[in-house]
Amino acid sequence: MTSHSAFWQPTASIEVLQKRALLMRKVRDFFAKRQVWEVETPNLSSATVTDEHLQGFSTEFVGPGAALGRTMYLQTSPEYAMKRLLAAGSGAIFQICKAYRNEEAGRWHNPEFTMLEWYRPGFDHVALMQELDELVQYICGTEPAQRMSYQQACIQHLQLDPLSCSLDTLREAATQLGHGDLAAKEEDRDTLLQLLFCDGVEPHIGQIRPCFIFDFPASQAALAKLNPDDNRVAQRFELYFRQLELANGFHELDDADEQLARFEHDNLKRRQQGKAEKPIDPYLLGALQAGLPACAGVAVGLDRLFMLALDKPKIRDVLSFDIGNA
Amino acid sequence: MAFYSTNEFKAGLKIMLDGEPCNVLENEYVKPGKGQAFNRVKIRKLISGKVLEKTFKSGDTVEGADVLDISLSYLYTDGEFWHFMNNETFEQIAADKAAVGDNVKWLVENDPCTITLWNGSPITVTPPNFVELEITETDPGLKGDTAGTGGKPATCSTGAVIRVPLFVQTGEVIKVDTRSGEYVSRAQK
């Protein structure tokens, strides 16, 4: 027995966990009705994401063919493996799985969390936003979501145009929100935009009904296609409700060369910041070269969706055990 | 001097900010979907007493503050400094008016006080939660009154003015809560 023994109890109540099980069934039911089939992909992968703001966990595989040990990464999302299934002709698929992100813990974060991710061949991001909206209404009983472009949201709540304003304008706006010290030494446009969005936009959107923000700046495209009518923005969307970021979706980039260039750019940024470079997933690039069907995909933080459905303020309130007593 | 990353921030950690030692009160992790993560940190400045919110990029480091709380007995004041002593080593420390601040009215000889030292110098003096003070002046109350009827002001030996029940008289010793400045009871004899 140690002093930790006293903290053996689940962080969520049994009653909440039973409700969570029912919600989980409703999610599966939603996709079954729409002929989207459930898949499972590996949690362990030989490569990981290059995104400078995502820190993966790694472990060591020892066994046949890897006598001296081979580094394996826990997935930060099942995106790459699911795209390989799509390229192999799966059609519409969804997955409910654990995703792992190091350095993320707090009121709304647990380093190991449950993700719902699905892909719709033939959909663009607009059609997928509609389907996600229907899922959220079905699970949380919310009203239909509002839609607003990233640019509109910034103009309305920060009185600046995020696509054309100067770095100094961003710094000034951050200073007005009380972040003068941070802003003064910040050279990165996206970091300032993210700070402003966190503090100056998020608290004002999606309070009564969920709110989609779409057309993010191209510099924050991640794995989304650029908008063919305005290449300053990418066909990426996020869903917010009551200060919670619930989902991130893309009209999926299907160009292998462009994808490789973005991964290499990520690694360049990592090098510049003194962070370790990450291995680029050769299997994903192979699948993109073979041909990813035109599709849109989205990842939903399922724990957060359940927090809203069950009216719980902290992620630990809907988890059997959080990182504190895992 | 040690540096602390935002991952090490927790209530009670002492850090330097704008050249002033501060106490971390709360630390909240926020992330705007994809992108840079931030820590929203609530901080109390230890000299000015101001509470403020400050946002850091997650992973940023901040210099620690060499701040130490020690328990010392109050001895006396010479008008310019207030003198305190460690009862075991008999070592003495003098705090100035800025460090003592409004708490001067709670300082009673031989009471154990918490002295916060920054780089070895006192920056704040915190009295015990309860002190016993002698009343030097108060209006005579009406007989038969009990506690809870609004009371009357009473001046104490340290200069503190407290609202006391009407039955408490000049010359009596009362127990006071220094955090709220309120009368608790007559002192036990």
Side-chain angles (χ1 to χ4, degrees), chain B residues 60-155:
Chain B
D60 270 2
T61 55
V62 179
E63 192 184 350
D66 181 12
V67 169
L68 187 68
D69 285 341
I70 53 172
S71 179
L72 299 176
S73 291
Y74 173 59
L75 293 179
Y76 65 96
T77 176
D78 57 23
E80 192 181 354
F81 290 99
W82 284 257
H83 298 267
F84 298 83
M85 184 173 74
N86 180 323
N87 283 338
E88 279 157 29
T89 63
F90 305 111
E91 202 180 321
Q92 290 190 20
I93 280 181
D96 65 10
K97 201 179 174 88
V100 176
D102 287 344
N103 285 328
V104 65
K105 62 176 181 279
W106 306 125
L107 295 181
V108 176
E109 271 177 42
N110 296 322
D111 268 3
C113 296
T114 302
I115 315 293
T116 304
L117 301 177
W118 174 39
N119 295 332
S121 304
I123 49 168
T124 53
V125 171
T126 312
N129 290 344
F130 299 100
V131 294
E132 292 187 352
L133 304 176
E134 188 188 334
I135 295 178
T136 53
E137 199 195 328
T138 187
D139 285 340
L142 295 168
K143 268 188 184 158
D145 265 312
T146 50
T149 54
K152 59 181 180 178
T155 307

Side-chain angles (χ1 to χ4, degrees), chain A residues 51 53-54 103-105 107-109 179 181-182 186 191 194-195 198-199 202 222 236 238 240 245 248 250, chain B residues 7 17-18 27-40 53-61:
Chain A
D51 187 320
H53 297 301
L54 285 180
E103 299 181 11
E104 301 190 4
R107 189 175 155 196
W108 300 294
H109 295 82
H179 306 302
D181 295 352
L182 205 165
E186 188 55 62
T191 300
Q194 283 150 0
L195 176 65
C198 249
D199 249 30
E202 266 185 50
R236 174 186 155 207
E238 294 248 9
Y240 297 91
E245 183 246 346
N248 177 69
F250 304 135
Chain B
N7 281 334
L17 210 66
D18 310 329
N27 178 19
E28 190 164 74
Y29 178 86
V30 286
K31 198 172 180 188
K34 289 196 170 291
Q36 176 69 50
F38 300 97
N39 287 65
R40 223 175 259 154
E53 247 187 28
K54 190 104 185 154
T55 300
F56 297 88
K57 275 160 73 172
S58 295
D60 270 2
T61 55

Side-chain angles (χ1 to χ4, degrees), chain A residues 8-230:
Chain A
W8 63 272
Q9 289 270 12
T11 50
S13 68
I14 293 297
E15 188 199 350
V16 165
L17 294 175
Q18 283 171 343
K19 285 184 182 164
R20 184 184 164 113
L22 286 176
L23 290 172
M24 202 64 110
R25 206 152 75 197
K26 279 181 84 172
V27 172
R28 290 199 155 94
D29 186 47
F30 178 88
F31 290 105
K33 280 185 191 145
R34 291 160 187 252
Q35 280 88 47
V36 180
W37 61 287
E38 184 167 9
V39 298
E40 286 181 279
T41 57
N43 274 4
L44 287 175
S45 164
S46 57
T48 183
V49 291
T50 50
D51 187 320
E52 59 171 320
H53 297 301
L54 285 180
Q55 313 304 331
F57 286 91
S58 63
T59 185
E60 194 97 324
F61 166 62
V62 180
L68 299 176
R70 180 150 63 95
T71 302
M72 301 295 285
Y73 297 88
L74 283 165
Q75 64 181 358
T76 56
S77 90
E79 178 156 10
Y80 297 177
M82 289 180 81
K83 283 183 174 170
R84 286 161 67 188
L85 292 177
L86 288 156
S90 67
I93 48 174
F94 82 97
Q95 176 162 205
I96 293 172
C97 62
K98 282 293 178 76
Y100 307 84
R101 296 182 181 181
N102 210 345
E103 299 181 11
E104 301 190 4
R107 189 175 155 196
W108 300 294
H109 295 82
N110 198 57
E112 166 184 339
F113 61 100
T114 302
M115 188 175 259
L116 160 67
E117 185 151 326
W118 79 96
Y119 290 86
R120 282 293 212 161
F123 277 35
D124 64 5
H125 58 301
V126 178
L128 192 60
M129 278 194 266
Q130 182 57 37
E131 186 162 63
L132 171 56
D133 194 3
E134 284 161 22
L135 173 75
V136 175
Q137 289 175 45
Y138 181 57
I139 299 296
C140 298
T142 47
E143 291 174 52
Q146 191 191 349
R147 284 163 176 67
M148 205 187 241
S149 77
Y150 186 91
Q151 186 184 30
Q152 270 176 298
C154 291
I155 290 172
Q156 189 169 328
H157 298 292
L158 299 168
Q159 290 78 49
L160 56 82
D161 182 347
L163 305 177
S164 63
C165 76
S166 68
L167 195 64
D168 280 339
T169 305
L170 295 178
R171 285 200 181 117
E172 241 166 66
T175 305
Q176 273 175 19
L177 287 173
H179 306 302
D181 295 352
L182 205 165
K185 55 182 192 227
E186 188 55 62
E187 297 291 333
D188 187 66
R189 202 180 162 88
D190 286 315
T191 300
L192 285 169
L193 281 172
Q194 283 150 0
L195 176 65
L196 290 171
F197 198 86
C198 249
D199 249 30
V201 179
E202 266 185 50
H204 306 295
I205 59 170
Q207 292 301 326
I208 294 163
R209 51 173 66 199
C211 179
F212 282 104
I213 299 291
F214 60 92
D215 278 357
F216 276 72
S219 53
Q220 298 176 31
L223 281 75
K225 270 187 203 229
L226 294 188
N227 184 332
D229 300 325
D230 180 357

Side-chain angles (χ1 to χ4, degrees), chain A residues 6 44 69 82 87 221 256 258 288 302:
Chain A
L44 287 175
M82 289 180 81
E258 165 77 20
L288 294 179
L302 217 44

Side-chain angles (χ1 to χ4, degrees), chain A residues 262-311:
Chain A
R262 287 193 197 175
F263 285 157
E264 282 174 342
H265 181 71
D266 283 348
N267 267 335
L268 176 71
K269 281 191 119 176
R270 284 184 161 267
R271 261 202 314 279
Q272 286 165 347
Q273 293 166 14
K275 292 179 182 166
E277 285 181 51
K278 296 292 172 189
I280 291 170
D281 194 327
Y283 304 117
L284 173 68
L285 293 176
L288 294 179
Q289 269 154 7
L292 180 74
C295 66
V298 63
V300 178
L302 217 44
D303 307 301
R304 291 185 182 172
L305 195 66
F306 295 163
M307 281 168 67
L308 290 168
L310 301 171
D311 197 22

